[in-house]
Amino acid sequence: MHIPSTDEKRWIQQKLESVRSTPEYSKSQQRYLLDRLTAAEVLERYLHTKYVGQKRFSLEGAESLIPMLDELIQSAGSKGISEIVLGMAHRGRLNVLVNILGKSPALLFQEFEGGVMNNEGRTGDVKYHMGFSSNMNTPGGPVHLAMAFNPSHLEIVGPVVEGAVRARQDHWEDNPGNQVLPVVMHGDAAFAGQGVVMETLNMSNTRGFKTRGTVHIIINNQIGFTTSFKRDARSTSYCTDVVKMVEAPIFHVNGDDPEAVVFITQLALEYRMKFAKDAVIDLVCYRRQGHNEADEPAVTQPDMYTKIRNLPTTREKYARQLIESHSITKSKADEMKSMSKQRLEKGDPVVPHALDDGAQKPHPVDWLKFAGKTWEAPAKTSISQQQFKQLGEKLNESPDDFPLHPRVIKLMETRRQMTAGKQPLDWGFAELMAYASLVSEGHSVRLSGQDSGRGTFAHRHAVLHEQVNDKCYVPLKHIAPDQGRFVIVDSLLSEEAVLAFEYGYATTEPNTLVIWEAQFGDFANGAQVVIDQFISSGEQKWGRLSGLTMLLPHGFEG
């Protein structure tokens, strides 16, 4: 096992070996599991016959994802989780929206039929990119679910989810990881192929970006569009090998064994809750249709699809298993299919745990006061001369017995002269004064980027470093007793994942000034997909507002 921690290894071994990796479930649990598989399969077949040739990026071959997510939500709720933020690409998304988040089938059918959505003058987006939110009843109480909006880019939503989760967790002072859970789904080819995956994993245990553990689910259908040979798809044995860099467990499970899928889901969640680290489930399955439903996969994978087309579905296999063990009768299993189809045709939400009472989450995301506004709206931004002097004095304070570097001592003295009006303000001090005025009025500020504490050009010095014991002091955290939060993060050397994280944070925190700073302006090129697919177009496509600010310092050397 690649995990070096003895405690973690022994915990995993005990969990697996105590049941010999073959858990036993009651007949009622088995019947419920079959019902969830039935719902997943019937939806796909209903859409396939009703909307022939239309793209839906089917979940067929990976239907066990639906009972997996259902179990994950119910178990998370029983452990006290109150919010779950999910991210995924297009594969199986429509099935998850209907059978997990409770989106109305009637609304989905309307989208297939070209029904006009109320975009309020916006461009809108395709149905398998759309987000959704709902509330589910669990043994531990209501759980709020939020599915992040996602562009065609397969993995960029991961860090966006992490940022949204961190923003939610920051509301909780005690055990924030026990309140909000990130769940990110991936395809096997994209997980191995997209560099932003590694960047996001690299953030998982850092102070400024950790979310106390993510449950990652790989929908491993063993093919990426038309690429299925391992020698073409990756240079590692498994698509999940990149995860070993953060010493997180990887649970490989057969998608055609639904009971094993549920067991591994419980195990992965328990690990995450106990150790506050990422856990990865590799759901080994297949793709019954082509990349999309207008595609013919046998053109490029003839042998694979000869075998797949002779395979019974996961639901058919499990139903036969339950019938043979007398856990259910054939007539009852058949009735499940007909009932599931009837529920779809009725058009009402089909999720058994959905709450329709508009249950309010503890810390709602409310952008209403910003809706319909423009950046030109007038706002009072001035401060009095007295406030200016008070804030300047606070910024120039440091603890007693806190020796500073001689250069910083000289800088602080210059800033005292600026506070007294004896010298003009320079850019660095003016910026800190702006932040000080905001936090003194109760507004929160989050600034992250490479070398943001000192500033790339040694101009900011928002973080003071004691020269003997290497302690740090941030004057902006000590401006006023009831001030807003001030967080400054020296990020890892990443642009794409960090900017995506901050976008996710900003969309979730309307009352916080969220800033990402490129080390040099042209470094922003490494995050271009975030700028194109979220920041500049998110409002047009999805109606998503964001107050994210980007600082792009001029400079061409690195």
Side-chain angles (χ1 to χ4, degrees):
M1 191 183 295
H2 62 274
I3 300 174
S5 167
T6 301
D7 288 343
E8 292 178 32
K9 284 192 289 190
R10 286 178 177 169
W11 185 90
I12 293 170
Q13 289 166 346
Q14 190 277 328
K15 290 289 183 179
L16 290 171
E17 294 173 4
S18 63
V19 296
R20 296 182 180 271
S21 299
T22 309
E24 294 184 3
Y25 293 101
S26 67
K27 290 184 178 180
S28 63
Q29 290 173 313
Q30 290 175 325
R31 288 192 289 268
Y32 179 74
L33 181 48
L34 179 63
D35 179 72
R36 294 295 82 211
L37 283 172
T38 302
E41 180 180 298
V42 168
L43 175 63
E44 294 295 352
R45 292 195 170 182
Y46 187 87
L47 295 174
H48 193 65
T49 55
K50 188 175 176 68
Y51 304 106
V52 179
Q54 288 204 43
K55 292 182 182 180
R56 69 181 191 277
F57 298 101
S58 158
L59 189 63
E60 290 168 278
E63 291 94 341
S64 288
L65 178 68
I66 297 304
M68 174 187 282
L69 291 174
D70 182 83
E71 178 60 36
L72 184 62
I73 293 164
Q74 293 300 305
S75 294
S78 69
K79 297 180 187 303
I81 292 288
S82 61
E83 292 185 76
I84 300 176
V85 183
L86 303 101
M88 68 184 301
H90 47 270
R91 174 72 56 206
R93 189 184 187 95
L94 300 183
N95 210 312
V96 171
L97 288 173
V98 170
N99 283 316
I100 295 298
L101 280 91
K103 181 173 182 173
S104 160
L107 179 57
L108 179 63
F109 302 156
Q110 187 181 13
E111 292 170 359
F112 268 99
E113 293 161 9
V116 179
M117 292 183 287
N118 181 18
N119 290 324
E120 299 176 348
R122 295 181 284 104
T123 58
D125 204 349
V126 292
K127 50 189 169 292
Y128 37 81
H129 287 175
M130 304 305 290
F132 198 81
S133 63
S134 59
N135 297 293
M136 293 293 144
N137 191 30
T138 75
V143 172
H144 181 74
L145 306 180
M147 171 71 81
F149 292 82
N150 191 58
S152 294
H153 191 292
L154 298 173
E155 290 291 343
I156 193 61
V157 77
V160 174
V161 166
E162 302 295 350
V165 168
R166 179 60 182 255
R168 287 168 165 86
Q169 288 182 351
D170 282 350
H171 286 290
W172 300 90
E173 292 185 8
D174 298 324
N175 302 315
N178 293 346
Q179 302 293 335
V180 191
L181 171 69
V183 177
V184 184
M185 289 158 272
H186 316 262
D188 54 307
F191 195 74
Q194 295 288 317
V196 72
V197 173
M198 185 279 291
E199 292 185 26
T200 306
L201 289 169
N202 200 26
M203 293 195 297
S204 63
N205 294 317
T206 61
R207 290 183 298 175
F209 303 101
K210 66 182 179 182
T211 53
R212 288 87 180 174
T214 299
V215 175
H216 295 276
I217 301 168
I218 318 297
I219 305 172
N220 186 355
N221 56 31
Q222 305 174 69
I223 186 170
F225 212 137
T226 63
T227 303
S228 59
F229 292 118
K230 186 172 77 68
R231 63 178 179 264
D232 298 324
R234 59 181 183 271
S235 298
T236 57
S237 296
Y238 296 95
C239 66
T240 53
D241 281 347
V242 67
V243 176
K244 294 177 180 178
M245 65 179 277
V246 292
E247 300 167 357
I250 304 163
F251 301 105
H252 306 279
V253 62
N254 179 4
D256 265 351
D257 187 345
E259 292 183 13
V261 168
V262 169
F263 170 67
I264 286 299
T265 302
Q266 296 166 339
L267 179 60
L269 179 64
E270 285 185 42
Y271 175 91
R272 184 269 179 189
M273 299 299 290
K274 181 173 179 63
F275 296 105
K277 289 177 59 180
D278 287 9
V280 178
I281 302 173
D282 180 19
L283 181 66
V284 183
C285 51
Y286 59 93
R287 190 189 71 193
R288 186 166 287 272
Q289 307 294 336
H291 177 70
N292 62 64
E293 288 63 40
D295 199 18
E296 174 46 73
V299 171
T300 50
Q301 274 75 30
D303 185 48
M304 174 185 282
Y305 275 87
T306 297
K307 294 175 181 177
I308 286 175
R309 283 165 179 165
N310 289 321
L311 282 176
T313 67
T314 304
R315 190 238 170 233
E316 290 168 349
K317 284 184 175 182
Y318 191 56
R320 186 186 309 146
Q321 175 186 328
L322 297 191
I323 291 168
E324 291 173 354
S325 66
H326 306 291
S327 296
I328 196 171
T329 64
K330 185 177 185 305
S331 61
K332 186 66 176 176
D334 291 340
E335 183 185 338
M336 279 186 181
K337 289 182 72 174
S338 60
M339 291 294 293
S340 185
K341 185 176 180 180
Q342 288 175 26
R343 287 194 293 267
L344 288 178
E345 290 175 336
K346 190 177 178 182
D348 294 334
V350 298
V351 176
H353 310 292
L355 296 173
D356 56 6
D357 58 0
Q360 184 65 45
K361 59 180 180 176
H363 302 288
V365 179
D366 185 9
W367 281 94
L368 283 178
K369 67 181 180 180
F370 299 103
K373 302 291 195 304
T374 70
W375 66 273
E376 297 167 312
K380 181 180 180 300
T381 60
S382 62
I383 59 175
S384 68
Q385 190 170 357
Q386 182 180 1
Q387 287 174 301
F388 178 90
K389 184 176 181 181
Q390 290 172 342
L391 296 175
E393 290 172 352
K394 284 289 184 182
L395 287 173
N396 289 314
E397 288 180 358
S398 62
D400 295 334
D401 300 321
F402 196 86
L404 298 170
H405 191 279
R407 290 191 179 185
V408 178
I409 293 173
K410 183 179 179 181
L411 174 74
M412 299 284 279
E413 180 54 40
T414 301
R415 288 180 172 176
R416 290 188 184 94
Q417 296 292 315
M418 294 176 185
T419 302
K422 296 179 180 179
Q423 285 194 34
L425 268 69
D426 61 17
W427 175 269
F429 193 50
E431 181 191 8
L432 295 187
M433 287 290 286
Y435 299 149
S437 69
L438 287 171
V439 298
S440 70
E441 295 172 358
H443 304 290
S444 294
V445 177
R446 175 184 168 92
L447 167 61
S448 79
Q450 296 154 14
D451 310 302
S452 288
R454 190 202 71 167
T456 297
F457 304 106
H459 63 287
R460 183 173 291 127
H461 291 281
V463 180
L464 304 180
H465 294 266
E466 195 254 17
Q467 295 294 297
V468 177
N469 298 309
D470 204 25
K471 295 179 181 179
C472 294
Y473 181 78
V474 182
L476 281 161
K477 292 179 180 286
H478 306 277
I479 297 297
D482 298 320
Q483 70 172 72
R485 286 165 50 91
F486 180 81
V487 176
I488 189 163
V489 180
D490 283 342
S491 76
L492 58 159
L493 195 61
S494 158
E495 289 83 37
E496 185 177 6
V498 173
L499 181 57
F501 183 101
E502 299 303 343
Y503 172 82
Y505 197 106
T507 59
T508 310
E509 265 298 347
N511 296 311
T512 295
L513 172 59
V514 182
I515 304 170
W516 175 74
E517 180 180 53
Q519 189 176 48
F520 290 85
D522 55 339
F523 280 27
N525 293 343
Q528 196 65 47
V529 64
V530 187
I531 298 168
D532 292 346
Q533 297 291 345
F534 291 96
I535 295 170
S536 66
S537 61
E539 186 173 356
Q540 269 294 312
K541 293 187 293 187
W542 311 315
R544 297 292 287 164
L545 299 179
S546 167
L548 179 65
T549 298
M550 292 190 294
L551 301 182
L552 308 177
H554 176 72
F556 297 103
E557 79 277 15

